[in-house]
Amino acid sequence: MVLSLKSFQSSAFSQQGQAQAVALQGDYDPSRTKVLHFSMNPASLAKQQRKEEQQQLQEECERLRELVRVLEGGGSIPGNLEGVGSFQSQQEIAELKKQVESAELKNQRLKEVFQTKIQEFRKVCYTLTGYQIDITTENQYRLTSIYAEHQGDCLLFKASSSSGGKMQLLETEFSRTIRELIELHLLRQDSIPAFLSALTLDLFSRQTIA
């Protein structure tokens, strides 16, 4: 069944609007939701759904671009694009191309919003916790204290899974100098927050005394 240009564009941008809404709203409200880390927990499912929706939007943009190229060249519509519509006039082709450019611009703006929010979040974490958190490799995080005495003084934590439910401290040159804190707060008390707090106080006291 042949669709009109208007109905085809409406369908494509409806999918984009849904993908943006899901991305900007987030997966859940951590202040109201208790997270239970199942093998397929709701957060993972929502993340997967968002990924699929963004993939569908990207594929739709690719189909639009291919259709514009074919129509501008005067060729016949390929089999994989036959169902998207019949466009003959140059005005319709120009309008379609304009809509494709608009969709790509919105995707770029969405990426910029994500990047801005990520930077804001990292700055807030650094200010509130006193630790700069960087992702080094998949499921591995480097923590550098605001009171670190040397640039290379850092901690490495590795998550046991992508959910980050359990973290393991990896040995570094710096971690070998704070074995007493590790022994007390990680091995005995099994508390990473207590360990990081104690380390912050220890480093802060060194600067105060100095």
Side-chain angles (χ1 to χ4, degrees):
M1 177 178 181
V2 179
L3 302 177
S4 67
L5 172 61
K6 183 177 180 181
S7 63
F8 171 68
Q9 292 170 347
S10 176
S11 174
F13 287 96
S14 175
Q15 293 179 10
Q16 183 182 34
Q18 294 173 2
Q20 290 178 334
V22 171
L24 291 176
Q25 290 175 1
D27 294 336
Y28 63 92
D29 183 353
S31 66
R32 300 181 179 179
T33 306
K34 181 178 180 180
V35 180
L36 300 178
H37 297 286
F38 301 108
S39 58
M40 290 298 289
N41 60 63
S44 297
L45 292 176
K47 183 178 180 181
Q48 180 64 27
Q49 181 181 3
R50 182 180 66 184
K51 182 178 180 181
E52 292 174 356
E53 290 176 345
Q54 290 178 334
Q55 180 64 29
Q56 290 175 0
L57 177 60
Q58 183 64 33
E59 292 174 356
E60 196 66 37
C61 288
E62 290 295 335
R63 294 177 65 195
L64 283 169
R65 281 194 291 266
E66 183 178 353
L67 181 60
V68 170
R69 286 194 298 268
V70 171
L71 293 176
E72 286 183 332
S76 59
I77 299 177
N80 65 322
L81 298 176
E82 287 182 350
V84 300
S86 178
F87 310 102
Q88 298 179 355
S89 70
Q90 290 298 320
Q91 182 179 357
E92 287 178 318
I93 295 175
E95 181 65 21
L96 178 61
K97 186 174 182 179
K98 182 179 178 181
Q99 295 296 338
V100 173
E101 293 174 350
S102 177
E104 292 176 339
L105 179 60
K106 288 181 179 180
N107 280 332
Q108 180 61 33
R109 288 176 177 173
L110 185 61
K111 292 179 181 179
E112 292 174 355
V113 169
F114 281 148
Q115 187 62 31
T116 300
K117 292 300 181 182
I118 289 173
Q119 292 300 325
E120 290 179 359
F121 181 74
R122 293 182 75 244
K123 289 180 180 179
V124 169
C125 287
Y126 186 60
T127 301
L128 295 179
T129 69
Y131 287 95
Q132 177 176 311
I133 304 176
D134 299 295
I135 301 176
T136 56
T137 60
E138 184 177 0
N139 297 334
Q140 187 168 302
Y141 308 89
R142 180 177 63 241
L143 275 66
T144 305
S145 174
I146 191 174
Y147 302 117
E149 296 178 302
H150 306 94
Q151 185 175 2
D153 291 349
C154 64
L155 299 170
L156 284 180
F157 285 92
K158 185 176 181 61
S160 57
S161 64
S162 58
S163 65
K166 291 186 177 181
M167 305 292 291
Q168 179 182 7
L169 177 66
L170 304 180
E171 186 177 83
T172 62
E173 183 176 350
F174 175 65
S175 69
R176 289 194 290 269
T177 66
I178 53 173
R179 294 189 181 277
E180 292 184 1
L181 295 177
I182 294 175
E183 175 71 25
L184 174 60
H185 300 293
L186 293 184
L187 300 183
R188 296 183 185 178
Q189 299 176 343
D190 191 24
S191 175
I192 292 178
F195 166 68
L196 295 177
S197 298
L199 178 58
T200 297
L201 292 175
D202 181 58
L203 295 176
F204 179 74
S205 65
R206 297 181 192 179
Q207 292 193 0
T208 303
I209 295 175

